[in-house]
Amino acid sequence: MLPTETALVRDLAEWLPRQRWFGGKDGPIDELTIGTATELRSGDPALHHLVLDVRQDGATDHYQLLLGVRRYLPDRLRHVEIGGAHPDGPGGRPYDVHLYDAAHDPELTRILLDDLAAEASVGPLRFRRVDGARIRTDLTSLPITAEQSNTSLLFGDTYICKLFRRLSHGVNLDLEVNLALTQGGCTHVPAVHGWIELEPEAGTSGNGEPVTLGLLSDYLYTGADGWSLAIASVRDWFAHTPPAGGDEWAELDASAAGGDFAAEAERLGAATAAVHRSLAAAFGVRTLPPAEVRAMAARMNDELTATCRSVPRLAPHAKALTAAYLDLAARPEPLPVQRVHGDYHLGQVLRTESGWTLLDFEGEPARTQHERRALAHPLRDVAGMLRSFEYAARFLIAKSGTVPPEPGGRLETRAHVWAARNRAAFCRGYAAAGGADPAAHSALIRAFEFEKAVYEVRYEAQNRPAWLPVPLTSLAHLAT
Ligand SMILES: Nc1ncnc2c1ncn2[C@@H]1O[C@H](COP(=O)(O)OP(=O)(O)O)[C@@H](O)[C@H]1O
Ligand SMILES: O=P(O)(O)O[C@H]1O[C@H](CO)[C@@H](O[C@H]2O[C@H](CO)[C@@H](O)[C@H](O)[C@H]2O)[C@H](O)[C@H]1O
């Protein structure tokens, strides 16, 4: 029932760049081929698992797609149509079925649970269960609507199944880290129940390891993500009016707002330190000699230069950033490094009734696999979260579009005060729980924060241009 490969490839090449999770939006697709195609269900609707090999600028990336095929497409699936039959007219289409992104079709996605529960192998796909896990198959799925680099399906309020879109070579970091942390007794990550993988011979791996396609974990349905909680606090703080006749400093005291986030920020700092300890125990620690630290600082500066070229609005800050990288390069002592989160921000943490949980250990989506796997100093994560406080503080200003986001504006002053209060609380919690004290490592923190801000400028320019003022405005503060 699948159309000819030529027609399918043509439709996919048109559809792919429009997807939020497609990582190659900055350039054209030179060639798209179907790497593997596995039928998971025949009939109408049918389900095919595809790995798409996408060549861009001399490199090939692999993307996963669950392709649904139906003769008639119900309205509820129209928004995820990829191509196919046009019953209202000839439309010049060479086949008479509808193709669509089946991640949005619960009638088909339930097959994933069936196959996980049965530990099935279908063609090159293997469905794996964690030892002792019993997987329920009576649940229907709903894709989550979060701004995501992947696609996650909720199965009832029991499981979340993350389907990785851009596939990494070998075992996915999220699976590797979550399994190791769960087995090490860390309670700050959701328990893993199973995963889906592609056998190494199937072509995408290249290193003899299976390629991870999906991860089934506990859905922490009572959790609230750190970003929403922080934004609620900022909203409250912006709306707060100091009592009439009160002293002028009340304007600058973020603790006076009802939705103060500082106690949560402090607890989040403590949870972060605990996870860093568990990561060190599970994967070990090594030290980078000064020459490697210098090489790292030089890489940061190269990235700055390249980003200034593509986003000239970053250029006015370049001098301050280079100075921070030079400070790092001048560090005489070796730098302890270990596995870290790698893309740590408020959207990656959930507050449940029992504490903070950390999600998504895949690293930054805009980086290569090699870069994502690199060991780092744990304060790199701390710096990531500090950047996120900067983002949360300024998001409402950028979003409303009514207030000029230049430093010095009334709301910008408030944003700065909110960020400073929560940054300090997070660092306090991190150090008190045994993490390296950020206050005692200001040169490291500054360099890591700038590195992340440069990444963000690039990320926003490519993915969400309307957000670009957020990292740029906070840089205007930090780089002075
Ligand atoms: N185990 C979980 N329980 C509850 N919500 C989750 C869980 N895992 C992820 N989420 C929600 O899904 C969002 C995206 O998940 P994430 O793993 O960060 O995906 P991506 O790598 O695509 O960005 C998170 O911000 C969180 O709100
Ligand atoms: O969550 P992902 O792994 O997809 O991470 C990418 O997208 C993030 C945005 O969704 C991006 O984070 C940036 O925006 C956040 C607010 O949306 C903010 O809290 C972060 O501090 C900021 O870096 C992340 O950088 C990117 O890798």
Side-chain angles (χ1 to χ4, degrees), residues 20 147 149 227 343 345-346 348 360 363-365 384 387-388 391 452 455-456 459-460 464 467:
R20 159 77 171 87
E147 282 269 302
S149 309
W227 175 258
D343 187 16
H345 58 80
L346 284 161
Q348 311 278 42
D360 190 5
E364 291 163 339
R387 299 280 325 123
S388 206
Y391 253 76
K452 182 76 187 185
Y455 168 88
E456 286 165 352
Y459 180 88
E460 303 303 2
R464 309 183 296 190
W467 287 62

Side-chain angles (χ1 to χ4, degrees), residues 7-365:
L8 179 58
V9 160
R10 183 201 56 203
D11 281 348
L12 287 170
E14 201 181 291
W15 174 79
L16 201 57
R18 287 186 271 123
Q19 305 314 303
R20 159 77 171 87
W21 42 261
F22 180 62
K25 293 197 190 73
D26 50 341
I29 295 178
D30 300 325
E31 190 182 13
L32 187 154
T33 50
I34 296 177
T36 66
T38 310
E39 187 178 73
L40 288 173
R41 175 177 151 161
S42 58
D44 188 4
L47 178 62
H48 296 260
H49 179 276
L50 302 186
V51 175
L52 309 176
D53 299 345
V54 181
R55 202 161 58 75
Q56 289 189 284
D57 201 16
T60 301
D61 280 323
H62 308 281
Y63 288 87
Q64 160 174 227
L65 172 66
L66 286 174
L67 184 73
V69 185
R70 284 178 182 258
R71 206 163 282 282
Y72 299 101
L73 196 68
D75 278 351
R76 67 186 163 82
L77 292 171
R78 283 248 174 254
H79 68 294
V80 287
E81 183 170 13
I82 294 170
H86 287 258
D88 301 336
R93 300 287 176 153
Y95 46 91
D96 63 354
V97 288
H98 294 270
L99 306 176
Y100 61 98
D101 183 353
H104 297 256
D105 187 352
E107 203 179 326
L108 291 175
T109 52
R110 60 185 327 142
I111 294 166
L112 302 178
L113 283 191
D114 291 340
D115 285 346
L116 279 163
E119 289 210 276
S121 290
V122 189
L125 301 195
R126 295 184 199 140
F127 293 81
R128 301 279 197 193
R129 233 176 338 126
V130 166
D131 283 347
R134 280 192 54 238
I135 292 174
R136 286 178 57 180
T137 55
D138 59 333
L139 304 164
T140 48
S141 75
L142 193 68
I144 63 168
T145 51
E147 282 269 302
Q148 263 197 291
S149 309
N150 297 293
T151 298
S152 293
L153 308 178
L154 303 183
F155 284 96
D157 54 20
T158 305
Y159 303 126
I160 182 163
C161 181
K162 178 157 151 180
L163 297 169
F164 299 106
R165 288 297 191 165
R166 178 153 57 172
L167 301 175
S168 36
H169 290 292
V171 177
N172 180 282
L173 277 171
D174 213 11
L175 171 63
E176 184 185 4
V177 172
N178 271 303
L179 270 182
L181 291 182
T182 312
Q183 282 158 6
C186 175
T187 54
H188 293 288
V189 290
V192 177
H193 298 282
W195 66 96
I196 310 169
E197 63 189 26
L198 188 69
E199 67 185 22
E201 296 77 35
T204 48
S205 172
N207 63 0
E209 285 180 15
V211 174
T212 313
L213 301 173
L215 178 59
L216 187 77
S217 327
D218 256 353
Y219 175 49
L220 306 173
Y221 79 105
T222 60
D225 72 278
W227 175 258
S228 326
L229 294 173
I231 294 299
S233 166
V234 176
R235 195 181 291 118
D236 191 48
W237 167 230
F238 280 1
H240 171 72
T241 329
D247 75 275
E248 60 182 299
W249 294 105
E251 178 73 15
L252 298 177
D253 179 9
S255 70
D260 186 22
F261 189 70
E264 286 299 357
E266 190 164 344
R267 282 185 209 109
L268 179 59
T272 308
V275 171
H276 281 157
R277 245 193 333 276
S278 302
L279 284 167
F283 297 100
V285 177
R286 63 171 282 247
T287 45
L288 283 188
E292 285 188 45
V293 177
R294 279 197 298 281
M296 181 173 86
R299 279 196 300 277
M300 291 176 176
N301 205 54
D302 289 347
E303 221 157 76
L304 167 66
T305 311
T307 311
C308 284
R309 229 175 281 131
S310 55
V311 189
R313 285 162 72 191
L314 177 62
H317 307 298
K319 211 168 142 199
L321 273 59
T322 298
Y325 299 154
L326 286 173
D327 270 0
L328 172 64
R331 180 189 166 93
E333 322 90 61
L335 191 68
V337 289
Q338 61 163 83
R339 292 291 276 272
V340 296
H341 182 281
D343 187 16
Y344 202 39
H345 58 80
L346 284 161
Q348 311 278 42
V349 291
L350 281 185
R351 177 72 164 99
T352 70
E353 58 284 2
S354 58
W356 284 101
T357 303
L358 276 58
L359 306 171
D360 190 5
F361 287 81
E362 265 200 288
E364 291 163 339

